[in-house]
Amino acid sequence: MSIMNRDPFREMRSLREAMDELLEESFVRPREGRMERRPERQLRLPLDVYATSEEIVIVASLPGLTPDEVDITIEDDRLTIRGELRRPLENVDYLFQERPYGTFSRTLTLNVPINTDEAEAVFENGVLTLTLPKAEETKPKTIEVKRK
């Protein structure tokens, strides 16, 4: 039986090294053949969303698409944005390839009622901006205090 000094940081270092290796294989140096499988999975569309007292604004970058290639639906309290980023050139040997391609879909649950009749979608320079006006009952109301 031998006595060994326990070093809890040794296990943490090995976990850190394992995570570094995982991230490096996944993002920095993807393995050969990985790009061919990418279209099978659906991409997650990154969004910027902010709210004002009057509206909810959603911004998405969709490079290379036209407004006709984006489908936006609002059903009950759910907003869905769908489309497909075109596959890059096929007749070249890439040194590395980082831009995603394939179908994407993103569904958000809106926590406030929206006036869908006044909703607006603007597509400019590959950036989609959705402006969703809040319904009247959700807008803040000011109550005047009267003196007696």
Side-chain angles (χ1 to χ4, degrees):
M1 182 168 161
S2 65
I3 297 176
M4 187 171 130
N5 288 337
R6 189 167 177 332
D7 181 9
F9 294 105
R10 181 176 48 153
E11 287 99 32
M12 290 177 68
R13 280 192 300 263
S14 64
L15 176 61
R16 185 187 69 213
E17 290 166 0
M19 290 301 294
D20 286 346
E21 182 180 331
L22 174 69
L23 291 172
E24 187 171 323
E25 283 182 7
S26 299
F27 299 109
V28 179
R29 291 181 300 173
R31 277 180 248 135
E32 190 71 31
R34 221 179 155 140
M35 294 307 288
E36 286 79 30
R37 290 188 302 249
R38 182 174 278 177
E40 294 172 8
R41 68 180 174 95
Q42 203 166 60
L43 302 173
R44 184 162 192 252
L45 179 65
L47 301 173
D48 291 340
V49 181
Y50 63 91
T52 67
S53 61
E54 299 289 317
E55 59 197 13
I56 295 175
V57 179
I58 301 167
V59 181
S61 294
L62 298 170
L65 295 185
T66 64
D68 298 336
E69 297 171 308
V70 180
D71 180 38
I72 303 167
T73 56
I74 298 177
E75 187 175 334
D76 297 325
D77 64 343
R78 297 172 61 87
L79 166 78
T80 303
I81 304 171
R82 287 187 185 95
E84 183 172 0
L85 294 171
R86 287 187 276 298
R87 187 176 183 91
L89 300 173
E90 294 185 23
N91 56 350
V92 297
D93 291 327
Y94 285 97
L95 298 175
F96 59 94
Q97 184 180 15
E98 298 178 341
R99 294 184 305 147
Y101 60 90
T103 60
F104 63 84
S105 178
R106 186 75 186 268
T107 300
L108 301 175
T109 301
L110 305 170
N111 293 328
V112 295
I114 299 297
N115 184 352
T116 56
D117 295 334
E118 295 181 19
E120 183 180 63
V122 177
F123 200 89
E124 184 178 354
N125 296 327
V127 177
L128 172 68
T129 303
L130 287 169
T131 305
L132 307 172
K134 293 179 181 178
E136 281 299 318
E137 64 266 13
T138 62
K139 293 182 182 176
K141 295 183 177 40
T142 304
I143 300 171
E144 184 179 337
V145 179
K146 298 179 182 175
R147 183 178 285 203
K148 272 190 162 183

